[in-house]
Short mmCIF file of all heavy atoms in Angstrom, two decimals:
data_model
loop_
_atom_site.label_atom_id
_atom_site.label_comp_id
_atom_site.label_asym_id
_atom_site.label_seq_id
_atom_site.Cartn_x
_atom_site.Cartn_y
_atom_site.Cartn_z
N MET A 1 -19.04 3.75 15.15
CA MET A 1 -18.89 4.96 14.33
C MET A 1 -17.80 4.73 13.27
O MET A 1 -16.75 4.18 13.56
CB MET A 1 -18.50 6.15 15.22
CG MET A 1 -18.36 7.46 14.47
SD MET A 1 -18.04 8.81 15.61
CE MET A 1 -17.85 10.15 14.44
N LEU A 7 -13.89 3.96 3.76
CA LEU A 7 -15.01 4.50 2.99
C LEU A 7 -16.34 3.98 3.51
O LEU A 7 -17.38 4.59 3.27
CB LEU A 7 -14.84 4.13 1.51
CG LEU A 7 -13.55 4.60 0.84
CD1 LEU A 7 -13.56 4.21 -0.64
CD2 LEU A 7 -13.36 6.10 1.00
N ARG A 8 -16.32 2.84 4.16
CA ARG A 8 -17.54 2.26 4.72
C ARG A 8 -17.18 1.43 5.94
O ARG A 8 -16.02 1.04 6.12
CB ARG A 8 -18.25 1.38 3.69
CG ARG A 8 -17.42 0.22 3.21
CD ARG A 8 -18.17 -0.70 2.27
NE ARG A 8 -17.34 -1.79 1.81
CZ ARG A 8 -17.06 -2.88 2.52
NH1 ARG A 8 -17.55 -3.01 3.75
NH2 ARG A 8 -16.29 -3.83 2.02
N ALA A 11 -18.14 -5.17 7.65
CA ALA A 11 -19.27 -6.02 8.00
C ALA A 11 -19.23 -6.32 9.50
O ALA A 11 -18.16 -6.57 10.05
CB ALA A 11 -19.22 -7.32 7.20
N ALA A 29 -8.02 5.78 -2.06
CA ALA A 29 -8.67 4.49 -1.91
C ALA A 29 -9.32 4.02 -3.20
O ALA A 29 -9.57 2.82 -3.37
CB ALA A 29 -9.72 4.58 -0.79
N LEU A 46 -11.10 -3.58 2.26
CA LEU A 46 -11.28 -2.33 3.00
C LEU A 46 -10.15 -1.36 2.62
O LEU A 46 -9.10 -1.33 3.25
CB LEU A 46 -11.28 -2.59 4.51
CG LEU A 46 -12.44 -3.45 5.02
CD1 LEU A 46 -12.21 -3.85 6.47
CD2 LEU A 46 -13.77 -2.69 4.88
N ARG A 53 -7.43 14.04 0.36
CA ARG A 53 -7.81 13.61 -0.99
C ARG A 53 -9.27 13.16 -0.99
O ARG A 53 -9.81 12.79 0.05
CB ARG A 53 -6.92 12.49 -1.49
CG ARG A 53 -7.03 11.17 -0.74
CD ARG A 53 -5.73 10.42 -0.71
NE ARG A 53 -4.82 11.04 0.23
CZ ARG A 53 -3.49 11.12 0.05
NH1 ARG A 53 -2.92 10.61 -1.01
NH2 ARG A 53 -2.73 11.70 0.96
N MET A 91 4.09 3.61 -1.82
CA MET A 91 4.08 4.19 -0.49
C MET A 91 3.28 3.32 0.48
O MET A 91 3.67 3.13 1.64
CB MET A 91 3.49 5.59 -0.51
CG MET A 91 3.28 6.20 0.88
SD MET A 91 2.42 7.80 0.92
CE MET A 91 0.74 7.29 0.61
N GLY A 92 2.17 2.79 0.00
CA GLY A 92 1.31 1.96 0.85
C GLY A 92 2.00 0.71 1.36
O GLY A 92 1.66 0.21 2.43
N GLY A 107 2.22 -6.01 20.90
CA GLY A 107 1.71 -7.32 21.26
C GLY A 107 0.31 -7.58 20.73
O GLY A 107 -0.40 -8.45 21.25
N THR A 112 -2.46 -11.97 8.72
CA THR A 112 -2.18 -13.29 8.20
C THR A 112 -1.14 -13.22 7.09
O THR A 112 -0.32 -14.13 6.93
CB THR A 112 -3.48 -13.92 7.65
OG1 THR A 112 -4.43 -14.00 8.71
CG2 THR A 112 -3.25 -15.29 7.08
N LEU A 113 -1.19 -12.13 6.31
CA LEU A 113 -0.26 -11.91 5.21
C LEU A 113 0.03 -10.44 5.08
O LEU A 113 -0.88 -9.60 5.21
CB LEU A 113 -0.87 -12.42 3.89
CG LEU A 113 -0.04 -12.16 2.62
CD1 LEU A 113 1.20 -13.05 2.56
CD2 LEU A 113 -0.90 -12.37 1.36
N VAL A 144 4.04 11.47 -15.39
CA VAL A 144 3.38 11.03 -16.61
C VAL A 144 4.10 9.81 -17.19
O VAL A 144 3.48 8.83 -17.61
CB VAL A 144 3.32 12.17 -17.65
CG1 VAL A 144 2.89 11.64 -19.01
CG2 VAL A 144 2.37 13.27 -17.18
N GLU A 151 -1.60 12.51 -18.69
CA GLU A 151 -1.00 13.56 -19.52
C GLU A 151 -1.96 14.74 -19.71
O GLU A 151 -1.54 15.88 -19.93
CB GLU A 151 -0.58 12.99 -20.86
CG GLU A 151 0.34 13.89 -21.66
CD GLU A 151 0.95 13.20 -22.86
OE1 GLU A 151 0.58 12.04 -23.12
OE2 GLU A 151 1.80 13.82 -23.52
N CYS A 174 7.06 8.87 3.09
CA CYS A 174 8.03 7.79 2.82
C CYS A 174 9.43 8.19 3.25
O CYS A 174 10.15 7.41 3.88
CB CYS A 174 8.04 7.47 1.33
SG CYS A 174 6.49 6.81 0.70
N PRO A 184 12.63 -9.82 12.56
CA PRO A 184 11.67 -9.99 11.46
C PRO A 184 10.26 -10.23 12.00
O PRO A 184 10.07 -10.72 13.11
CB PRO A 184 12.20 -11.21 10.71
CG PRO A 184 13.62 -11.35 11.13
CD PRO A 184 13.69 -10.83 12.53
N MET A 200 12.23 0.48 -9.91
CA MET A 200 12.87 -0.54 -9.10
C MET A 200 12.95 -1.85 -9.88
O MET A 200 12.31 -2.00 -10.92
CB MET A 200 12.11 -0.76 -7.79
CG MET A 200 10.69 -1.27 -7.96
SD MET A 200 9.87 -1.64 -6.40
CE MET A 200 10.79 -3.08 -5.83
N THR A 206 13.66 -8.33 -3.36
CA THR A 206 14.09 -9.59 -2.76
C THR A 206 14.45 -9.48 -1.27
O THR A 206 14.12 -10.38 -0.48
CB THR A 206 15.27 -10.19 -3.55
OG1 THR A 206 14.85 -10.40 -4.90
CG2 THR A 206 15.72 -11.50 -2.95
N PRO A 220 6.71 -11.58 -9.68
CA PRO A 220 6.73 -10.61 -10.78
C PRO A 220 5.33 -10.51 -11.41
O PRO A 220 4.64 -11.52 -11.56
CB PRO A 220 7.73 -11.19 -11.77
CG PRO A 220 8.46 -12.27 -11.03
CD PRO A 220 7.51 -12.77 -10.00
N PRO A 222 3.23 -8.60 -14.74
CA PRO A 222 3.43 -7.84 -15.98
C PRO A 222 3.04 -6.37 -15.80
O PRO A 222 1.98 -6.07 -15.25
CB PRO A 222 2.48 -8.53 -16.98
CG PRO A 222 2.21 -9.88 -16.40
CD PRO A 222 2.28 -9.71 -14.92
N GLY A 223 3.93 -5.48 -16.22
CA GLY A 223 3.59 -4.06 -16.16
C GLY A 223 4.66 -3.23 -15.49
O GLY A 223 5.71 -3.72 -15.09
N SER A 242 -1.80 -16.23 -2.66
CA SER A 242 -0.97 -15.93 -1.48
C SER A 242 -1.81 -15.90 -0.21
O SER A 242 -1.38 -16.38 0.84
CB SER A 242 -0.25 -14.59 -1.68
OG SER A 242 0.74 -14.68 -2.68
N GLY A 247 -3.42 -18.35 4.76
CA GLY A 247 -4.51 -18.82 5.60
C GLY A 247 -4.36 -20.28 5.97
O GLY A 247 -4.66 -20.69 7.09
N ALA A 253 -9.64 -20.57 6.50
CA ALA A 253 -10.13 -20.72 5.12
C ALA A 253 -10.75 -19.41 4.68
O ALA A 253 -11.87 -19.07 5.03
CB ALA A 253 -11.18 -21.83 5.05
N GLU A 259 -9.26 -21.07 -7.36
CA GLU A 259 -9.69 -20.02 -8.27
C GLU A 259 -8.57 -19.73 -9.27
O GLU A 259 -7.40 -19.72 -8.94
CB GLU A 259 -10.01 -18.74 -7.50
CG GLU A 259 -11.29 -18.83 -6.71
CD GLU A 259 -11.62 -17.51 -6.06
OE1 GLU A 259 -10.89 -17.13 -5.13
OE2 GLU A 259 -12.57 -16.86 -6.50
#
Side-chain angles (χ1 to χ4, degrees):
M1 182 175 177
L7 303 182
R8 61 176 179 78
L46 295 170
R53 66 212 75 215
M91 173 186 75
T112 300
L113 175 72
V144 169
E151 194 169 5
C174 296
M200 63 175 292
T206 301
S242 291
E259 288 185 290

